[in-house]
Amino acid sequence: MAPAHRTAAFLWAALSLLVYLGLAMAQDPQMSISYFDNLPGRLFFFEDTPTAVYHDTVDGDVYITQDEGKTWERASGIPSGEALMVFAHPFDTRYAFVLTASTTHYRTEDRGKTWRSFSVPSVPAFTPYPLSFHSDPAKWGYILYQGTECSVSGWGRTCTDVTYYTTDGFSSDAKELLTDTTRCQFAHSSKDFKHDAHPDLIYCVGFDSSSTGASHSISSSRLYSSTDFFRTSSLETLGMGRGAKGVVALAIVSKFAVVALKDLSPGADGTMMLYVTVDTKEWAKAQFPHASQARLRENAYTIVESTVHSLAVDVLSQDQGAIGTLFVSNSNGTYFVESLSDTNRNGAGYVDYENVYGIEGVGIANTVSNPLDVERKGQPKKLRSMITLNDGSSWAPLRAPSRDVDGNDVSCNPNDEESCSLHLYSVTNPHNFGRVFSSPAPGFVIGVGSIGRQLAPYEDCDTFMSTDAGLTWHMIQRNAHIYEFGDSGSITLLVDDEGPTDTVLYTLDFGKSWKSYDLGMSIRARGLTSVSDATSQKFMLLVQVARQEQKPGQGRYAIIHLDFAGLRQRKCGDGDFEQWYARAKPETECLLGVKQWYRRRKADADCYVGNKFIDPVVHDEPCPCEDHDYECDYNYVRSGDQCIPSGLEHIPSNMCTSGRPDETYMGSSGYRLIAGDKCDKGRGLRKDEPVSKPCSQAQPAEGEVTSQVHDFPADVAQYEFFKESSTILVRLTDHTIWQSSNEGLTWEQRFPDERFLVFYMNTHTNDRAYLITDTSKYYYTTDGGRFWHEANAPSRPNTFRANVLSFQPRSDYLIWVGDVGCDGTGERCRAEAQYTRDHGRHWQFIDDYVVNCAWARDEELKIDMTQILCESYLHKEGSQRMFGRNNPLQLISGWDYYGKKTKLFDHVVGFTKFSEFLIVAEYVPQRNALDLQVSLDGRTFAEGQFPPGMHPNTHAYTVLESSTDAIFLHMTMSEHPHPYWGNILKSNSNGTYFGLSIENVNRDQYGFVDFEKFSGLDGIALANVVANPAEATLTGLKTLQTRITHNDGGTWKPLTPPPADSLGQPYSCSTTKCALHIHGYTERTDARATYSSPAVVGVVMAVGNVGETLAPYTESDTFLSRDGGFTWQEVHKDAHLWEFGDSGAVILLVNDEEPTDHVLFTTDEGLTWREYQFSKDKLRIKAIVTVQEDTSRKFMLIGYRPQSSASSVIVHIDFTSLTHRQCELKEDNPGHDDFELWSPSEERQEVCLFGRQTLYHRRKRDANCVVGKIPKIEEKIVRNCACTEEDFECEFNHFKNDEGKCVLIPGMTPLESDSSCRGDDEYWYERTAYRKVRYSSCEGGYRPDQGTSHRCPGLRGHSTFFWLTILLFPIAVTGVVVWWWYKKSGLARGTIRLPSSTSDHQPFGSLGSGSGNALDTLASVPWFLLGLAGIAYAYVSSSIENVVGGFRSRRGYRDVPVDEDAQILRFEDEEE
């Protein structure tokens, strides 16, 4: 070859080699390393920028990178060691703020290049997020700053929070907004919370003027609002009026503003309430299913990541083990349904729940499969992962891949989802920054987990990936890795997370193949991140450098910058992309009326996307409208698959004016499109189009009453409303069930093909009911009858004398008692009990040959949740139907769900739970007698002690109602076959000693007693006594008289008769022997027709007469009292049934002596009466029914037509249109509203009742307005009174003689005196013939219960000098020890301060806001150990790194488009 040719060939070869080498070099990522001394407390990017912040919380320094981590510089302008907290402006990426522990802070307006200082008068508050920003970019400078101001107070400091505001980002001095705040926030602080409120609207949680002094009561915490920076302000009543107290937290989550309040009503026991708004105008209480095991309690619920369609709240359901229940709301955040039970939580309140980013309705959660073992036995949790594709409506296990990373079959069958599904680590156990599973890269999900029945330990897990938003998965690497997405999902990085490594793994084809990159050094990965929208090809790897790799002068930690931009030279074109549809299953692909799809790079396309900082665009493809796209319209309620009217429809005044009977109007169909739903009506259902309706279905003009008559084919055998609901169930004698969801306006039959024996309402859960058939099949509802579900019990309902179902506060826990072996000859026919802990999905055997089995736990009987009580026969053979007294009925107690059994009694007649007492009737064969055994804990029992001649071994007895910490017992004293009567006995506080309250009280042959307490007024009761016991014994005819007590049975008096009857005429009986006598409980056909209602405090109605004795019912009239039975007036002649409505604003009467066609009603509590004709035919009415709370203006009359008593009629009467004016309640301006303050003492000589004067709010008698659902104001105890004779009753073994004095029963001995001293008692007193009524709170005054006094031994017996010595000596020692430790630890800096002052590196967010540091408060108590512990805490907290806490406080919740403080609403109760 010629030389020229050889030269040319050489040049071409060299050029080809250079090109090849260049291409080869382009295949390797670029790497650079920056070293740091400490791990960051925060590491984050400015949104849509290459700028990131590294906050070293140990040294207090901030580092900035402008090139995605390649180079770092310490923030210039911020003194070293001063940075306490760093916040990026969430709505303007140019700005960030560094807060220090002092009043001087720093701001950047160029993403960290330069920093300038600004000052605020107060140091930052002890809250994780002291800054709140306005979401309008034009108002970037509108910022709220929460600070803390402290003053020295005695031994400690008193701190209060003050909020400041700026409108120019602190360019000028911040101004004070409001003092004594715990949280302030702009209403416009979330892009999703869209409303038309004033642009400057601010909400603040603060304290009202009733809160004085250094500390605040939670009852004074309220929500305030202002549109002029609190130059003027308004109290947000939340629809509750002035009762909106106890506000503990405010958060804006997605499109919802949420306020958490502590329920301050008596007995609430820390229960919380959530109020929600979507427009800042209308607040509504969030309604949760009444499942007691998952009720809202303080610090026991978490508002988790929510969508724009619904609010998600996880509620702690088990105190032991941190296990919760997830609830999901409707579109306006007010009605919640249970979405997922047994969710996994941790002690900090974080929940294993996360939505897949950018894919509507898809979320992943972890549940605990062994909750009972965790709670009862302390076993480790067994976690299972679940996925939802429809926003929490249903959940399914994650489908496991069939092959592992090597292509081999996995060790189980993925078709068996119970034993072979995929489980992933989640929010509660984070190992990286940011979101746990996904990123803005559409559809890509990665997790660390295992395949099998449950999640394996982290070190035994592998790494899995899904490219279709969790529908399918494949294993991509052995072992656990941290991971991150880049370039819109075209690059995925993995780094080993189980130990030291020197390699990074990456894929460019969605995980089909993997390449490795050698870092050239051994590291331990601590975090992997990239820009927040996952569109960059550059990554930051946070590592801990191995000791052998560490060089002098270099930090132990490093950021490794990895740049993959050179791997691919070609930018993707249109042909490299595909349409990827989310939720690609036919039943889940449409959510809120649309299919979602993204434009995504194909897996095998060899190109880079390159759209840096451009978020992927979601495309909505409308679906045809279907049933699930609609919800019930206003004034309609769900009943099964239909929406029915809750009342008559309101129409414009120009409609239905002609008066023609056939006139119609265009009204609502009952449906409306769900807010935000985008379905295509043209291709689907048009359920919201108006429909033509007859004018009879329209709401009448104001002042009119309407009614509807419904005929039923059989008599009514059972009926009951769901509590706090307008839905009622009715069972007829033909074994059919009927339901009305609108208080009787319309009816529908439930399951016509079934034969129902009974239905049960869950006694602990308002919205659960059970329809029991004559087979093992039953139906249940968990949502107040909206939907019913079929289930199968372990046996048919029992035909013995036991309840079929037993309930307890945990609403999923049931006991079923059914018949077993009763078919055919029934040789071993018996009752068998089984229990379930999952609402009937699985049943477990308890015992057989039982009469009754029930949970021991009750609302007030707060004992072991797992304890079961059974009345069980000793000999378990043969047919139970043939058993007699020779087979004793034992009482067996079984703890741990009857796993650990104990025999409590050898022979019992029965047991009952009553208030806080467990009462057992024990049979003693040796004496052929009964003993009454009482327990407060279900384990230890005490035998009831009775006055002589009144022991239950010779008498029948009835346990009566009580609400005042005592048992009332009726002891029958008459003998069979004479008419029955007896004495009422009242117990002491633990139910063991009984004393006589009143003699000769009437009862009937069934054991029911003429005794009833008034609702809403404790201690007031009526009883009918037999006035002629001696004569009745001979004649068999009882003469009755009525007595009333106003001090819980201590004394009884006749009822004072009214001066004239309802016609204004005097009564014929006018001597001192005359009194008012009323008919009692034993004569009622409906036990629920009580004298009074808790909704109408003080108002009482009854049927009776004025005379010396009670007249027959048909010769009686109707009476009313407005003062708790002190005074009465006759309101109408003849006997009537009555019912209260709208908290007494409407009272209804119907004739109870003969058929009638009309009712009488009053709106002024009996001053005037009006008549309303409800039918052309006369009906015999047996009962008047309304909602249980007596707050509705709608009533139902239950009766029958006289010519056909075998059928029944229900008449719906609606008084809603009588008036539309809403009653006004002005707690801060009483006397100028529609309510009055009333006390039971107004009409009597005694001012006090139960030792206190109490005032109640109630509607004024002549106020013609609607009370509705105005929250009841808590009763006001004005003062405790001096004790009087009314506050005492006779001691055990004593009775009242004819002079009204308590004297010892002849032959009896008094109880021994109690010489024990309690609290600060200086004396103890010998026992007398009297004892104080337990419910009384009187103080001082007349004390007949105190005999001779004796000085208490112990503390009070020492001199003042002794106690001064004891007090001052430890203080002196404390001073010496603390000073030595103080100097030695280096904490002394020339000033005197308290332990853990704000100059230390105290981890923020660990303390509640509002009253300063916890140690500041505690330090005011001069205790030796406490002082030493406080200094030690200061030393430790200023010396250790708090990096782990900094990481964990953010994992799993970063980059969620909500305020970060909205995730966990926590509050430290400041109530003393």
Side-chain angles (χ1 to χ4, degrees), residues 721-741:
F721 269 98
F722 287 89
K723 291 182 180 178
E724 300 178 5
S725 170
S726 60
T727 299
I728 185 174
L729 296 178
V730 170
R731 179 175 60 87
L732 304 183
T733 54
D734 63 359
H735 303 289
T736 59
I737 293 284
W738 296 78
Q739 176 179 325
S740 173
S741 299

Side-chain angles (χ1 to χ4, degrees), residues 166 234 422 637 647 675 688 797 827 950 1047 1122 1169 1271 1470:
T166 175
S234 301
L422 177 62
V637 294
D688 58 348
E827 294 179 357
M950 299 184 193
N1047 61 355
R1122 296 190 71 249
W1169 292 88
E1470 300 167 335

Side-chain angles (χ1 to χ4, degrees), residues 124-147:
F126 297 100
T127 177
Y129 307 101
L131 297 181
S132 176
F133 300 87
H134 201 291
S135 61
D136 185 354
K139 293 180 177 286
W140 67 267
Y142 282 53
I143 304 171
L144 304 180
Y145 172 96
Q146 189 174 352

Side-chain angles (χ1 to χ4, degrees), residues 371-591:
L372 296 175
D373 293 335
V374 173
E375 181 187 18
R376 302 297 305 166
K377 302 176 183 179
Q379 293 186 0
K381 294 178 180 178
K382 297 178 180 179
L383 301 184
R384 292 177 56 83
S385 295
M386 309 290 286
I387 187 170
T388 178
L389 304 175
N390 50 16
D391 214 7
S393 295
S394 61
W395 294 82
L398 290 178
R399 183 167 180 81
S402 59
R403 299 183 183 276
D404 62 17
V405 68
D406 301 317
N408 301 318
D409 291 341
V410 297
S411 60
C412 57
N413 181 9
N415 293 322
D416 181 5
E417 293 183 337
E418 181 66 26
S419 61
C420 189
S421 57
L422 177 62
H423 314 288
L424 303 175
Y425 277 88
S426 186
V427 174
T428 61
N429 191 12
H431 287 257
N432 196 11
F433 296 104
R435 302 182 65 83
V436 177
F437 299 119
S438 59
S439 77
F444 295 99
V445 187
I446 292 183
V448 171
S450 62
I451 298 172
R453 287 186 176 274
Q454 65 203 41
L455 184 61
Y458 189 78
E459 59 272 14
D460 297 333
C461 288
D462 302 309
T463 306
F464 298 83
M465 182 175 185
S466 171
T467 59
D468 54 11
L471 287 181
T472 61
W473 295 80
H474 55 279
M475 185 189 297
I476 54 176
Q477 288 295 328
R478 297 283 187 191
N479 302 327
H481 293 74
I482 58 175
Y483 38 87
E484 187 59 278
F485 301 97
D487 193 34
S488 301
S490 71
I491 306 175
T492 303
L493 258 65
L494 300 180
V495 183
D496 189 281
D497 193 34
E498 294 190 13
T501 184
D502 58 2
T503 303
V504 172
L505 300 174
Y506 63 94
T507 179
L508 305 176
D509 53 9
F510 300 176
K512 294 180 180 179
S513 62
W514 291 86
K515 298 179 182 179
S516 63
Y517 175 70
D518 188 354
L519 297 174
M521 59 189 300
S522 179
I523 54 95
R524 181 68 170 91
R526 296 299 185 185
L528 177 63
T529 188
S530 182
V531 297
S532 56
D533 57 9
T535 57
S536 174
Q537 300 184 70
K538 301 174 183 179
F539 300 82
M540 291 194 305
L541 175 61
L542 174 65
V543 303
Q544 180 177 340
V545 182
R547 291 182 182 273
Q548 62 270 22
E549 302 279 355
Q550 191 174 4
K551 299 178 181 178
Q554 290 182 344
R556 182 70 190 280
Y557 305 97
I559 290 285
I560 298 178
H561 169 80
L562 296 169
D563 185 354
F564 290 81
L567 266 63
R568 294 161 298 178
Q569 301 300 309
R570 186 174 68 87
K571 192 176 188 306
C572 296
D574 291 339
D576 296 307
F577 291 92
E578 63 182 355
Q579 287 187 0
W580 174 79
Y581 282 85
R583 300 183 307 275
K585 284 188 176 182
E587 67 273 15
T588 59
E589 63 180 356
C590 289
L591 184 67

